[in-house]
Amino acid sequence: MAIVKLLKKVNEMNKLYKKYLSDGDIKTIETLSKAIESSDISIAVIGLYNHGKSTLLNALIDDVELKTFKTADKRETTQNKKVQQDNIIYIDTPGLNANEYDDKRALDVVKETDIVIFTHNATVGEFREKEVEFLLHRYEEFNQLFP
């Protein structure tokens, strides 16, 4: 009987959500609810190719041998790679600006990740156009969610 009452309350709340909240607000609430229900946290690292994403992830998981996430002088990561340690899922992404398919794979993971870390190789100087474009889009998305 308690489950029936709970389901009725949930249904009432859904009606209120639809009446008083925007679609964006509802989506944010749903996303946060899913995150709260799940004890896992996902962290993705994104940036241009060969800008230290895999190296950073190896450091975060304490892999001094650099074997978990491949590193090299040439592009190694062409697919999103997930590694879980305890309740944290670490995600290595292909580099932005390598090709359009790598960009899509990297950008798709941003939508599904709790925390996104953006890397930039300071030795190359100022941000590249693709980096600025990525950061501006994230800024605009954030402002739409939290005006």
Side-chain angles (χ1 to χ4, degrees), residues 2-19:
I3 293 175
V4 173
K5 286 182 181 179
L6 181 61
L7 289 174
K8 284 182 181 179
K9 279 286 187 196
V10 169
N11 192 30
E12 289 172 20
M13 292 192 72
N14 282 336
K15 287 179 184 175
L16 288 173
Y17 284 161
K18 290 176 183 170
K19 184 175 180 181

Side-chain angles (χ1 to χ4, degrees), residues 16-118:
L16 288 173
Y17 284 161
K18 290 176 183 170
K19 184 175 180 181
Y20 295 107
L21 299 175
S22 70
D23 289 342
D25 293 336
I26 292 169
K27 185 173 176 128
T28 300
I29 290 168
E30 289 170 352
T31 301
L32 292 172
S33 296
K34 287 177 187 174
I36 291 167
E37 290 170 9
S38 168
S39 61
D40 293 342
I41 297 171
S42 57
I43 300 173
V45 179
I46 193 165
L48 293 183
Y49 64 93
N50 269 357
H51 272 228
K53 296 178 300 298
S54 300
T55 302
L56 174 61
L57 284 165
N58 283 323
L60 289 173
I61 63 170
D62 202 25
D63 178 2
V64 294
E65 302 282 324
L66 304 177
K67 292 183 178 178
T68 306
F69 296 101
K70 289 184 179 181
T71 60
D73 289 336
K74 62 182 179 75
R75 186 171 74 105
E76 286 287 333
T77 308
T78 59
Q79 301 285 330
N80 293 328
K81 180 179 180 182
K82 297 179 181 184
V83 171
Q84 185 159 355
Q85 271 192 349
D86 300 319
N87 69 324
I88 302 175
I89 302 167
Y90 297 93
I91 307 167
D92 196 8
T93 61
L96 295 172
N97 217 24
N99 64 52
E100 73 177 277
Y101 301 109
D102 284 359
D103 285 2
K104 180 168 178 12
R105 286 185 199 99
L107 295 174
D108 283 348
V109 84
V110 169
K111 299 172 190 168
E112 304 165 1
T113 302
D114 299 312
I115 299 169
V116 177
I117 299 173
F118 182 78

Side-chain angles (χ1 to χ4, degrees), residues 106-141:
L107 295 174
D108 283 348
V109 84
V110 169
K111 299 172 190 168
E112 304 165 1
T113 302
D114 299 312
I115 299 169
V116 177
I117 299 173
F118 182 78
T119 62
H120 172 73
N121 184 346
T123 64
V124 300
E126 295 180 1
F127 284 165
R128 301 289 196 257
E129 182 178 340
K130 191 69 171 186
E131 292 173 301
V132 172
E133 178 184 311
F134 171 80
L135 292 170
L136 284 174
H137 279 89
R138 302 299 72 78
Y139 177 76
E140 290 167 0
E141 287 173 353

